[in-house]
Amino acid sequence: MKPLLLTQGDPAGIGPEIILKAFLGYPDSVKGCVVLGDIEVFDRHALALLEAGWVPPPIAIMPSLDVCQKMQLPRGVLPLIPTGEIVGSWAMGRVSAAGGLSAAQCVQAAADACLQGHAAGMVTAPMHKESLLAAGVPWSKYPGHTELLQERAAAAAGVTPVQMPVRMMLANHELRVVLVTIHLPLRAALDAITIESVAQTLLIAHHSLSRMLGRVPRIAVAGLNPHAGEGGRFGSEEREILMPAMALAEVQGVNASGPYPPDTIFMRARRRDNQLTPEFDAVVAMYHDQGLIPVKYLGIDEGVNVTLGLALIRTSPDHGTAFDIAGKGCARAESLLSAITMARSLVAKDAVD
Amino acid sequence: MKPLLLTQGDPAGIGPEIILKAFLGYPDSVKGCVVLGDIEVFDRHALALLEAGWVPPPIAIMPSLDVCQKMQLPRGVLPLIPTGEIVGSWAMGRVSAAGGLSAAQCVQAAADACLQGHAAGMVTAPMHKESLLAAGVPWSKYPGHTELLQERAAAAAGVTPVQMPVRMMLANHELRVVLVTIHLPLRAALDAITIESVAQTLLIAHHSLSRMLGRVPRIAVAGLNPHAGEGGRFGSEEREILMPAMALAEVQGVNASGPYPPDTIFMRARRRDNQLTPEFDAVVAMYHDQGLIPVKYLGIDEGVNVTLGLALIRTSPDHGTAFDIAGKGCARAESLLSAITMARSLVAKDAVD
């Protein structure tokens, strides 16, 4: 079994801390995970944990993934492959070029290892946009991990990013949401909602979820307008864009229904505790906040962000760097653990495909 | 104490049934409530309840509000003032002109009674738009109770509807949301989000909630764009519209903060069970689904719709006519009861003002 890579994230954020906590508190859940990050960064975070009353896990420096796979590390030991060596200074909770560069290098190294078949997938700890900007990473081009990975994966495949369409899925224990548009002003998002982009989202969601579930997923499509347009009175996009896109996707085997009124479809799609088979396996949402408001409403401790459509498996916790609490020992590892579990489920299904 | 009026809603929907169930199951909660509706409609719904195994409450026909107030009806008896007499035929779960007209007449009668000072407030059971259309009520002009009541209240005050700006507030036990825009296509809603409309919303929310809470409410403003525009990268409305509007409102004593990222502010504003003082008393949302997705996410049994800014108190349950289950005895009265409780709290505070 190939390893699952965990990227350090911004050194000044909670990324290294939640990785350490995951190895400390959930050694079985992180079995087979290998961390890419800077030694000094993890040492500083381990020290901070110690000062906050925790006993951080031992860190084993690994020269390469190869060696790492051949060794049998004791349970709970964190295998670290030195990556993204810090050049310059950084401090907890502070933006720095050194931190941004280190974080980006870890993501790129992980992506390359996945694309070259050396790793099963990657789980990314949060980066900080200001640090990336300070490091000269063109943030306007890469407003998130998703876009950065898309370009890396496209380059590896010898195609343009446009030829490798990806979509963001947010998931927690009761809801999965796949977004048609992500990091765009709402006005621009409205323009980006086209028959093509909606149909593409449906296809990507269909293929990814089919693989994950082992059956044809039931996809609910959220409308764009109040009451899903109410027959045209409150907008025409449902008739002119969403329904034609659904018809196109259905021809290719997608099981999509809707468009449903946005204000109630997420409630309907929630998987209740006692519900073995929810009405829908996922909701396709039209824009960032339509999909993220319901996913985050109950709290973000368990949320997972999954990039669909890439030639690699990538998940991440659904929270940011949390500079305000970094290094204080109070960050929670639950969302990271959910992301690891989700990545594993994708890997497992991938392997049997 | 003046009575609280309950309007029948569409005869073919669940309105009459949940009113009957409220009197049957919660006689103390509906003490002081008087129903405006058609006798035959309530008889048919009472019979349907009986057939479904319930024992409907006795109905006392009242000639007027005056007489009603002078009488001491036994606990659990439903006082009905015949209003909106059905002319023509109607059937459970079916659109009809007769039903639409009856429903609209009940609302108008209730509004007039409130505006003339004969009632403390009104709680409206759901109407059905197709029935209203069939009855010739211009639905394009009145896409909901809110707009209809706005015009009625404005006429009573001798001003134009524009001079009596109203806003919709949705509330449940953990969240209050006040909307800047309601029943508009999303594109049109974006155009309707102006410095003036946002500032007006803040003022209306401030005044209504001040009265309700007896103190200055803490209002969170949701951004319009992903991440609240992220410093202009994902849209400029936060800087160009929301912040100037907040500055205008603050001069008039409004305590508003934000604009916050829309995907997390509703989660932050939730009142948890163990939380006596939530961080915010309400969230001002920019458009219909931004505010309604989180309010409805946990279920709609308890949701209440409150019209703010009117010269009368009006609340309603946060659900529709539910034609599909009308007359089957399975509708739930919880949302109606929450609406009654909310109206009472507004009346009480109003009285001490």
Side-chain angles (χ1 to χ4, degrees):
Chain A
M1 175 95 174
K2 291 177 194 167
L4 196 60
L5 305 180
L6 312 187
T7 62
Q8 151 202 286
D10 197 290
I14 59 170
E17 176 179 329
I18 58 177
I19 292 173
L20 287 162
K21 280 195 174 168
F23 277 85
L24 175 63
Y26 309 87
D28 295 326
S29 303
V30 295
K31 198 166 167 261
C33 291
V34 175
V35 181
L36 303 193
D38 178 69
I39 301 174
E40 186 222 335
V41 167
F42 274 86
D43 279 348
R44 293 250 299 260
H45 274 276
L47 192 63
L49 272 186
L50 199 65
E51 284 168 0
W54 299 80
V55 180
I59 297 172
I61 309 298
M62 295 281 135
S64 72
L65 268 176
D66 259 2
V67 174
C68 198
Q69 276 196 271
K70 285 171 193 152
M71 288 188 62
Q72 283 279 8
L73 285 184
R75 185 168 172 276
V77 171
L78 186 157
L80 177 71
I81 298 182
T83 315
E85 190 185 355
I86 290 273
V87 181
S89 68
W90 68 280
M92 289 287 179
R94 295 286 173 81
V95 167
S96 76
L101 191 62
S102 173
Q105 286 173 344
C106 292
V107 172
Q108 286 166 349
D112 292 346
C114 290
L115 292 166
Q116 291 157 16
H118 303 318
M122 57 193 284
V123 179
T124 57
M127 301 192 295
H128 195 281
K129 66 169 187 301
E130 300 294 341
S131 296
L132 290 169
L133 269 174
V137 176
W139 189 255
S140 58
K141 211 172 149 190
Y142 309 117
H145 277 94
T146 306
E147 294 84 351
L148 198 153
L149 291 169
Q150 177 183 23
E151 177 154 292
R152 203 83 184 177
V159 299
T160 65
V162 175
Q163 292 171 301
M164 185 167 282
V166 299
R167 290 296 185 275
M168 188 194 277
M169 179 168 85
L170 277 294
N172 57 31
H173 69 284
E174 60 174 43
L175 192 65
R176 292 190 196 97
V177 173
V178 183
L179 299 169
V180 176
T181 62
I182 316 180
H183 291 118
L184 290 173
L186 188 50
R187 277 184 192 277
L190 293 185
D191 293 332
I193 296 165
T194 62
I195 294 178
E196 195 187 3
S197 69
V198 174
Q200 207 165 55
T201 309
L202 288 169
L203 286 169
I204 291 175
H206 169 80
H207 289 305
S208 299
L209 290 166
S210 294
R211 218 153 49 168
M212 199 183 302
L213 303 172
R215 59 172 169 76
V216 173
R218 289 153 302 178
I219 299 173
V221 178
L224 174 69
N225 295 297
H227 308 184
E230 197 162 298
R233 190 192 324 274
F234 300 152
S236 57
E237 287 89 348
E238 282 77 11
R239 285 180 181 172
E240 291 171 8
I241 298 174
L242 274 54
M243 293 173 77
M246 290 166 65
L248 275 181
E250 273 159 29
V251 174
Q252 300 191 53
V254 175
N255 175 355
S257 61
Y260 295 105
D263 59 346
T264 48
I265 186 56
F266 298 97
M267 171 190 73
R268 283 180 60 186
R270 281 175 64 198
R271 178 195 292 266
R272 264 64 160 206
D273 293 337
N274 56 355
Q275 208 176 7
L276 288 177
T277 316
E279 195 175 352
F280 305 106
D281 296 303
V283 182
V284 163
M286 295 299 128
Y287 53 91
H288 187 275
D289 294 325
Q290 188 186 61
L292 265 61
I293 288 173
V295 167
K296 296 196 173 180
Y297 186 64
L298 294 184
I300 53 173
D301 286 342
E302 282 188 43
V304 178
N305 181 332
V306 187
T307 311
L308 305 181
L310 285 177
L312 60 87
I313 286 163
R314 179 257 166 169
T315 69
S316 77
D318 182 25
H319 57 65
T321 47
F323 272 9
D324 52 327
I325 59 163
K328 298 185 181 165
C330 58
R332 299 180 56 171
E334 277 78 3
S335 183
L336 176 70
L337 287 161
S338 298
I340 290 171
T341 305
M342 172 72 84
R344 274 193 209 292
S345 79
L346 294 167
V347 172
K349 300 289 181 185
D350 216 33
V352 290
D353 254 16
Chain B
M1 175 97 173
K2 291 177 195 168
L4 196 59
L5 305 180
L6 311 187
T7 63
Q8 149 201 288
D10 197 290
I14 59 171
E17 176 179 329
I18 57 176
I19 291 173
L20 287 163
K21 279 194 174 168
F23 277 86
L24 175 63
Y26 309 87
D28 295 325
S29 302
V30 294
K31 197 166 168 262
C33 291
V34 176
V35 180
L36 302 195
D38 178 68
I39 300 175
E40 187 221 333
V41 167
F42 275 85
D43 279 347
R44 295 249 300 259
H45 275 275
L47 192 62
L49 272 184
L50 199 64
E51 282 166 3
W54 299 81
V55 180
I59 297 173
I61 309 298
M62 293 282 136
S64 71
L65 269 177
D66 259 2
V67 174
C68 197
Q69 276 196 270
K70 286 171 192 151
M71 287 188 62
Q72 284 278 6
L73 285 183
R75 187 168 169 274
V77 171
L78 187 157
L80 177 72
I81 298 182
T83 315
E85 190 185 354
I86 291 271
V87 181
S89 67
W90 68 281
M92 289 287 178
R94 295 285 174 79
V95 167
S96 75
L101 191 61
S102 173
Q105 287 173 344
C106 292
V107 171
Q108 287 166 350
D112 292 346
C114 290
L115 292 167
Q116 290 157 16
H118 302 320
M122 57 193 284
V123 179
T124 58
M127 301 192 295
H128 195 282
K129 65 172 187 300
E130 301 294 341
S131 296
L132 289 170
L133 269 173
V137 178
W139 189 256
S140 58
K141 213 173 147 189
Y142 310 116
H145 277 94
T146 306
E147 294 85 350
L148 199 154
L149 291 169
Q150 178 183 23
E151 177 154 293
R152 203 83 185 174
V159 299
T160 66
V162 176
Q163 292 171 300
M164 185 167 281
V166 300
R167 290 296 185 276
M168 188 194 278
M169 177 168 87
L170 277 296
N172 58 29
H173 68 283
E174 59 175 42
L175 193 64
R176 291 189 197 99
V177 174
V178 182
L179 300 168
V180 176
T181 63
I182 317 179
H183 292 118
L184 290 173
L186 188 50
R187 275 183 193 278
L190 293 185
D191 293 332
I193 296 165
T194 61
I195 294 178
E196 194 188 3
S197 69
V198 174
Q200 205 163 57
T201 310
L202 288 168
L203 286 170
I204 290 174
H206 169 80
H207 289 305
S208 300
L209 290 165
S210 293
R211 218 153 49 167
M212 200 182 302
L213 304 172
R215 58 172 170 77
V216 174
R218 287 153 305 178
I219 299 172
V221 178
L224 175 70
N225 295 297
H227 308 184
E230 199 162 297
R233 191 192 323 277
F234 300 152
S236 57
E237 288 88 348
E238 282 76 11
R239 285 181 180 172
E240 291 171 8
I241 297 173
L242 274 55
M243 292 172 76
M246 291 166 64
L248 274 182
E250 273 159 30
V251 173
Q252 299 190 52
V254 176
N255 177 355
S257 61
Y260 294 105
D263 60 346
T264 48
I265 185 56
F266 299 98
M267 171 189 75
R268 282 179 62 187
R270 280 175 66 198
R271 178 195 292 265
R272 266 64 160 205
D273 292 337
N274 57 356
Q275 210 176 5
L276 287 178
T277 315
E279 196 174 351
F280 305 106
D281 296 302
V283 182
V284 163
M286 294 299 128
Y287 53 91
H288 187 274
D289 293 326
Q290 186 185 63
L292 266 61
I293 287 173
V295 168
K296 296 195 173 180
Y297 185 63
L298 294 183
I300 54 173
D301 285 342
E302 282 188 43
V304 179
N305 181 331
V306 187
T307 311
L308 306 182
L310 284 178
L312 60 88
I313 286 163
R314 179 255 166 171
T315 69
S316 77
D318 183 25
H319 57 64
T321 47
F323 271 10
D324 53 327
I325 59 163
K328 296 183 181 165
C330 58
R332 298 180 56 173
E334 276 77 3
S335 184
L336 176 69
L337 286 161
S338 298
I340 290 171
T341 305
M342 172 73 82
R344 273 194 210 292
S345 78
L346 293 168
V347 173
K349 299 289 180 186
D350 216 34
V352 290
D353 253 19

